[in-house]
Amino acid sequence: LIHFYKSSLVKMPGGYRRKKYHVGDTHLKKGWRTKRRTKDLDQIDDDLQEGKVGKFLEQPIDFDKPGLAQFYCVHCAKHFIDMNAFQTHVKSKPHKRRLHALKDEPYSIEESERASGMGSYIKHGKRKMETLIPEAVKKGESLADVKKRARMEIPDTESVGGDDENTRSESEAEDEDAEGDIRM
């Protein structure tokens, strides 16, 4: 009987147990799923309507968005940092996949009712989809050009009453690099 108890305490040789690293991270999984989530196809289709698409192609300058919100892909709902990044994106597979997905017209309630037998079936339509180019890319503006344009559009709030807003001292001009960024 004593021999039985001793043998149960000794571990048998064997393989390693798999380590479980992600046991207590269930509260993080929703964040992982929605981290890079973009607009759905029906939301993008709403953005592609006649009156709305111009608003996305000619956005006002926004310093909080990449590329000052001047390089925006309407089909993918993404902002890009400059013209080169936008043009590379247009040639990429994810953009082409998104264009192919947008060729199908979005399903409507009437179409789902017809498919279920509540009316005569009409074949689902396709449409021609081409990449829409923002105004900054059409003009061939670089990020430095957009920054210069932003500086001209936004009045200088630090200047005192009689100073001309467009004239700057030589030391301020020397503090900028080629892209229009200010050196610290």
Side-chain angles (χ1 to χ4, degrees), residues 15-26:
Y16 290 104
R17 195 175 125 212
R18 186 174 67 89
K19 292 183 180 180
K20 297 180 180 177
Y21 291 108
H22 300 288
V23 174
D25 59 3
T26 55

Side-chain angles (χ1 to χ4, degrees), residues 36-80:
R36 291 176 190 88
R37 182 163 172 78
T38 58
K39 289 183 177 181
D40 291 324
L41 291 176
D42 57 341
Q43 294 171 324
I44 291 173
D45 189 66
D46 289 341
D47 292 344
L48 289 172
Q49 300 302 323
E50 280 297 317
K52 294 182 182 178
V53 73
K55 174 178 79 167
F56 289 106
L57 294 176
E58 297 177 14
Q59 292 186 14
I61 292 176
D62 186 0
F63 289 99
D64 294 332
K65 293 182 180 164
L68 304 178
Q70 299 303 300
F71 308 100
Y72 181 72
C73 178
V74 181
H75 307 288
C76 302
K78 285 185 177 181
H79 290 278
F80 294 95

Side-chain angles (χ1 to χ4, degrees), residues 163-176:
D163 293 339
D164 186 23
E165 294 177 356
N166 293 332
T167 59
R168 297 185 336 198
S169 66
E170 292 178 15
S171 63
E172 288 178 358
E174 292 173 0
D175 289 339
E176 293 181 0

Side-chain angles (χ1 to χ4, degrees), residues 53-110:
V53 73
K55 174 178 79 167
F56 289 106
L57 294 176
E58 297 177 14
Q59 292 186 14
I61 292 176
D62 186 0
F63 289 99
D64 294 332
K65 293 182 180 164
L68 304 178
Q70 299 303 300
F71 308 100
Y72 181 72
C73 178
V74 181
H75 307 288
C76 302
K78 285 185 177 181
H79 290 278
F80 294 95
I81 190 71
D82 59 359
M83 184 172 57
N84 187 24
F86 178 81
Q87 289 174 342
T88 305
H89 164 75
V90 168
K91 296 175 187 174
S92 70
K93 247 184 192 178
H95 178 77
K96 290 176 182 177
R97 274 191 227 125
R98 182 58 66 102
L99 280 180
H100 186 71
L102 286 170
K103 283 182 183 177
D104 293 333
E105 291 180 1
Y107 289 101
S108 63
I109 295 172
E110 294 83 19

Side-chain angles (χ1 to χ4, degrees), residues 99-132:
L99 280 180
H100 186 71
L102 286 170
K103 283 182 183 177
D104 293 333
E105 291 180 1
Y107 289 101
S108 63
I109 295 172
E110 294 83 19
E111 187 171 356
S112 64
E113 289 173 352
R114 287 193 300 256
S116 67
M118 297 178 69
S120 59
Y121 180 72
I122 300 172
K123 189 176 178 183
H124 189 68
K126 293 229 178 220
R127 54 190 171 176
K128 188 175 181 184
M129 189 63 58
E130 294 180 0
T131 301
L132 299 172

